[in-house]
Amino acid sequence: MGNLLKPAQNRQAYAKVGIFGFQGSGKTFTSALIAIGLLRLHEKMTGRKKKCAFFDTETGSDFLTETFKKEGYELLVVKSRAFVDLKAVFGEAVESDCLVLIIDSITHVWRELTESYLRKKKQDRLYFPDWNVLKPEWGEYTDIFLNSPIHTIVCGRAGWEYETEINDKGKKESFKTGTKMKAEGEFGFEPSLVLEMIRRPKDEATTKSPGKKGTIHDNVAIVLKDRADRIDGMEFVNPTFEDFEPHWRSLNLGGEHVGVETERSSENLFKKDGESYQRKKIRREKAIEDIKNAFTKQELGTSKEAKAFCLTVLEACFGTDNSVEIRDNLPLEKLEEGARLMRESIGEMAGVFKSKGPNEKVDYRKMIEVHRDRIRKEDLAADGILDDPEDIPDDHVGGSVEDAGEEAPGSSDTLFEF
């Protein structure tokens, strides 16, 4: 008989909330209303007052000091954008008798982490292997977020989600398909309650709300996810703490909190390099098959010119035109990166080769570099580091860290040793 399965019980004792939206949509104000509501609820249940902690990356706490003071609750603040400070603030907030932690905005922290990494490596851009360092580092914060015994409200800026499609000229185009929180790509899935905040003109509001005197917009909270499935998909105009009461009632307030088990692991399944031999073998075979198929689909023929074209493409995508070197010796990450680059560029180049004729000189390497930059920008935008990929300069990936109004206590450069 195993010891993994146990009778189910609700052990989610603390709210884990994500709020994102564009400028002026009410993210910070709504997070304050929720924090004060949780403090009141706790005081009503236990008779004890608790404090609220605020990890402030853009001076939003300055405008909430009086609000918390008026409600009778102490607000503790750290002004920083450093990822190392964010990981540390959870434990300090619990030790300081805080019931709630507001993080505003997580977008700045994610950018600070990536920029610290680039400074440490003396790079001006991120490459595919870099994610193998950044994502596990960010994963440590995610574990702390889920497991810490404190209500946590994470605010982030909204960014656009993109997809690509082939236009009538055979070229790939990016287009907007929706919005998401601008942070590490998977973090938006972690909170139990996710709200998207939008500004809506009053005459378009779906719910009657007086709002503030003289205002022409309402701030609307759209519930994108409610794990309790009680208010999922609902909208609240100028939301209050009480609007989300069904979700608060779904929590095991005052009980034991257990997030996710992080001590157990499957390390013994893998060799020292972190991945099983069989899995790597499958990945390598798939990449090689993708390369073969990419050429086969173009029906280039077997002429001397066609072979020369194929060798040029291989050298530009993989750094060598030697098929044995590519198949057997190229590092797996570089092989997969090159295979993807070839898949997404071969159609355009083959079209040029067929239309121009084999004797006309074409700079295929330059065409591939254009695709390489496009892929890099799309990936960075998809992971929330950058905005619209069409607006990203070629020589930079993150932009400078904006002034937070106060010198940050630290940076995350010391996380990375090379």
Side-chain angles (χ1 to χ4, degrees):
M1 191 73 173
N3 61 353
L4 292 176
L5 294 173
K6 295 178 176 61
Q9 54 182 305
N10 186 351
R11 302 175 80 178
Q12 181 74 26
Y14 293 93
K16 305 295 178 179
V17 183
I19 305 175
F20 73 96
F22 291 103
Q23 180 181 4
S25 57
K27 302 183 296 295
T28 306
F29 183 70
T30 301
S31 70
L33 292 181
I34 291 175
I36 291 170
L38 290 168
L39 289 165
R40 283 177 182 162
L41 185 59
H42 177 81
E43 185 177 4
K44 183 178 179 180
M45 292 173 60
T46 66
R48 292 183 58 223
K49 274 186 178 291
K50 289 264 193 174
K51 305 171 187 175
C52 179
F54 200 126
F55 188 90
D56 188 357
T57 72
E58 50 188 9
T59 72
S61 62
D62 294 343
F63 303 94
L64 295 175
T65 301
E66 290 302 318
T67 301
F68 278 87
K69 187 181 296 184
K70 182 179 178 181
E71 296 293 335
Y73 297 106
E74 186 175 354
L75 182 65
L76 304 181
V77 177
V78 55
K79 291 188 175 183
S80 173
R81 293 182 177 179
F83 179 70
V84 290
D85 294 338
L86 176 63
K87 291 202 298 183
V89 78
F90 283 85
E92 189 171 325
V94 173
E95 291 174 2
S96 301
D97 202 33
C98 294
L99 179 74
V100 187
L101 169 63
I102 298 173
I103 301 167
D104 187 14
S105 144
I106 197 67
T107 304
H108 288 128
V109 181
W110 172 237
R111 287 181 173 175
E112 189 278 333
L113 178 65
T114 58
E115 290 179 351
S116 292
Y117 178 83
L118 290 170
R119 284 194 299 269
K120 197 72 175 183
K121 288 204 73 175
K122 296 180 173 57
Q123 294 178 186
D124 63 355
R125 63 181 65 185
L126 291 168
Y127 299 95
F128 294 111
D130 295 328
W131 299 117
N132 295 329
V133 179
L134 286 169
K135 283 185 174 290
E137 193 68 51
W138 184 264
E140 291 186 16
Y141 154 69
T142 299
D143 291 341
I144 296 171
F145 166 77
L146 292 174
N147 290 332
S148 293
I150 188 170
H151 298 297
T152 310
I153 307 164
V154 179
C155 298
R157 295 184 178 183
W160 293 105
E161 289 185 315
Y162 292 89
E163 289 185 8
T164 57
E165 65 178 15
I166 306 296
N167 62 21
D168 54 5
K169 296 181 180 178
K171 293 187 177 182
K172 287 202 170 189
E173 287 185 331
S174 299
F175 59 95
K176 297 173 182 177
T177 58
T179 54
K180 64 172 185 176
M181 183 183 291
K182 285 171 63 177
E184 189 274 335
E186 297 178 359
F187 179 68
F189 298 100
E190 303 297 346
S192 299
L193 179 66
V194 178
L195 309 177
E196 180 177 11
M197 301 294 300
I198 62 172
R199 284 170 62 87
R200 179 182 292 167
K202 281 190 176 294
D203 59 349
E204 294 182 14
T206 57
T207 304
K208 185 177 180 181
S209 174
K212 297 176 183 178
K213 185 177 180 180
T215 60
I216 60 173
H217 287 89
D218 286 318
N219 291 329
V220 181
I222 303 171
V223 183
L224 296 187
K225 181 176 79 172
D226 168 27
R227 280 204 172 132
D229 200 25
R230 300 185 181 183
I231 54 175
D232 193 47
M234 296 180 67
E235 292 186 3
F236 300 100
V237 178
N238 300 321
T240 65
F241 173 77
E242 288 73 22
D243 287 329
F244 311 111
E245 182 183 0
H247 182 80
W248 315 138
R249 283 193 277 105
S250 74
L251 301 174
N252 182 28
L253 295 175
E256 180 189 14
H257 179 75
V258 178
V260 293
E261 174 60 64
T262 59
E263 297 301 319
R264 294 176 62 84
S265 76
S266 305
E267 291 180 9
N268 60 340
L269 294 178
F270 304 101
K271 295 189 175 183
K272 288 184 179 179
D273 62 357
E275 187 169 14
S276 67
Y277 169 79
Q278 185 61 28
R279 175 58 184 158
K280 281 193 171 184
K281 181 181 178 182
I282 292 171
R283 286 172 59 190
R284 181 170 287 277
E285 290 175 351
K286 180 182 181 301
I288 296 297
E289 192 67 19
D290 284 346
I291 296 168
K292 292 178 182 178
N293 291 341
F295 281 127
T296 301
K297 289 177 182 177
Q298 302 307 319
E299 300 180 345
L300 297 168
T302 58
S303 68
K304 180 177 65 176
E305 293 80 8
K307 290 179 180 179
F309 167 78
C310 293
L311 291 175
T312 300
V313 172
L314 287 174
E315 198 280 331
C317 289
F318 300 98
T320 177
D321 59 11
N322 188 309
S323 60
V324 176
E325 178 72 16
I326 294 171
R327 184 190 66 212
D328 297 333
N329 297 329
L330 207 65
L332 179 57
E333 289 78 11
K334 192 171 182 179
L335 176 66
E336 290 178 326
E337 180 180 342
R340 178 186 175 188
L341 180 57
M342 176 178 286
R343 287 197 311 269
E344 300 197 15
S345 62
I346 188 68
E348 179 183 358
M349 290 187 295
V352 172
F353 175 78
K354 293 174 183 177
S355 63
K356 297 286 186 182
N359 297 320
E360 186 169 343
K361 289 188 177 181
V362 178
D363 192 346
Y364 294 110
R365 289 181 177 83
K366 184 175 181 181
M367 293 175 67
I368 286 176
E369 285 306 308
V370 170
H371 281 278
R372 194 192 302 275
D373 272 350
R374 174 187 56 77
I375 291 171
R376 174 178 60 86
K377 292 173 183 178
E378 289 175 357
D379 286 349
L380 295 178
D383 273 287
I385 298 175
L386 300 169
D387 299 324
D388 190 332
E390 298 301 322
D391 296 334
I392 301 167
D394 291 333
D395 60 351
H396 193 62
V397 297
S400 60
V401 178
E402 302 164 49
D403 181 16
E406 183 173 312
E407 184 177 353
S411 78
S412 304
D413 293 42
T414 55
L415 289 175
F416 307 110
E417 297 296 337
F418 302 103

